[in-house]
Amino acid sequence: MTAEGHRRVPDRAELRAHLVRSRIAGDVATPRDNNLRNFRLMSERHPGYLFGLEPDGTWTPEEVLALMVRRCGVVADPAHLSGQDTIDPDLTLGGLDAYADRLALAARRRERVIVATGHPDGLLDFYRAIARGLQDAGCTLLRPAREWTYKTPASEGAKLRAVDYRGPVAVVVDDVGAPRHTHSARPIRAILARLADDGEALPDLVIGDHGWAGGAGQAGISAIGFADCNDPALFVGAEEGKVAVAVPLDDNVEPHLYRPLLAYVLNRAGLS
């Protein structure tokens, strides 16, 4: 059972079957043409596709594809230009193991941690449970820079956004306080700057996705995160040693489908 006492922890084979059945891995919903487009845009250093990272390598589109085949399990054939793409469930399992092991290390060290998500619709409950487990283990959950505001780029309509927290989990909210999807690294940069301005130590670990993980990794902080097959930046960051763990999975399925992953991770990490 999990620490919540009502959910059985799947074994590895059961979790693999669930990943494929739920399309969190295996034949995922992400279109191949979208993947290839994002690989190219990241290669061209478009800021919206870098997630706050500054890659050291050249990373041509062909190199990004080869990396995504190896680290994520997308279709290797460069002539596969449309239709669906894939994520290797065994790579997802390996990523979840590494993710859980880093959580276990944080718990043993009682680290100072920031938990955040750019996918509040699907992943907020997952991150809340991880944060609770770490807090129960003696970690300090940081919540700096609440209500720090910024505007999205003019090309996106220059909308007002702010940092807020749902429990211990940082999110970006709109002008009426509703959590919003974001790829931006600006919020994590603001959080780190606020800690520095207040004379506080930076976090030992950032748990997140998108720009939350990428921006933290670029700042030299240990960062672990989920990444979809159309989000190559975190895998590039992992390849270059700037991101500690990038777990390949579809990050936009129904929230309840992540519950078996949560049970597995909490159990492996030894978190309550």
Side-chain angles (χ1 to χ4, degrees), residues 11-96:
D11 63 27
R12 205 173 171 80
E14 290 170 331
L15 183 57
R16 189 185 192 281
H18 171 76
L19 292 171
V20 174
R21 184 171 58 251
S22 63
R23 301 183 71 187
I24 292 174
D27 294 327
V28 295
T30 312
R32 174 68 166 194
D33 57 337
N34 179 259
N35 282 354
L36 295 177
R37 172 181 176 273
N38 288 9
F39 298 173
R40 175 179 58 79
L41 289 170
M42 199 231 76
S43 172
E44 294 172 354
R45 302 299 204 269
H46 285 258
Y49 297 86
L50 291 174
F51 294 174
L53 288 159
E54 300 172 12
D56 297 322
T58 54
W59 295 108
T60 65
E62 294 77 16
E63 289 171 334
V64 175
L65 174 59
L67 175 71
M68 294 299 287
V69 170
R70 181 162 51 82
R71 282 191 171 265
C72 186
V74 301
V75 175
D77 183 2
H80 178 53
L81 302 178
S82 61
Q84 300 311 119
D85 215 330
T86 58
I87 294 175
D88 185 339
D90 293 313
L91 292 176
T92 304
L93 288 171
L96 290 171

Side-chain angles (χ1 to χ4, degrees), residues 107-191:
R108 290 196 300 273
R109 292 175 172 173
R110 297 191 174 185
E111 290 183 337
R112 302 169 77 253
V113 181
I114 289 173
V115 183
T117 183
H119 264 294
D121 289 343
L123 288 169
L124 183 57
D125 288 345
F126 182 99
Y127 287 115
R128 277 175 169 159
I130 294 296
R132 284 197 302 267
L134 289 172
Q135 198 161 31
D136 289 346
C139 293
T140 299
L141 275 295
L142 305 176
R143 301 173 178 84
R146 183 189 293 272
E147 298 181 353
W148 177 84
T149 61
Y150 69 103
K151 285 189 176 181
T152 59
S155 60
E156 300 175 15
K159 298 178 178 67
L160 185 68
R161 295 288 185 261
V163 171
D164 202 358
Y165 290 83
R166 295 298 181 264
V169 181
V171 295
V172 165
V173 298
D174 61 20
D175 56 354
V176 296
R180 300 303 295 258
H181 176 273
T182 183
H183 286 182
S184 179
R186 292 176 68 188
I188 189 63
R189 290 173 181 153
I191 283 174

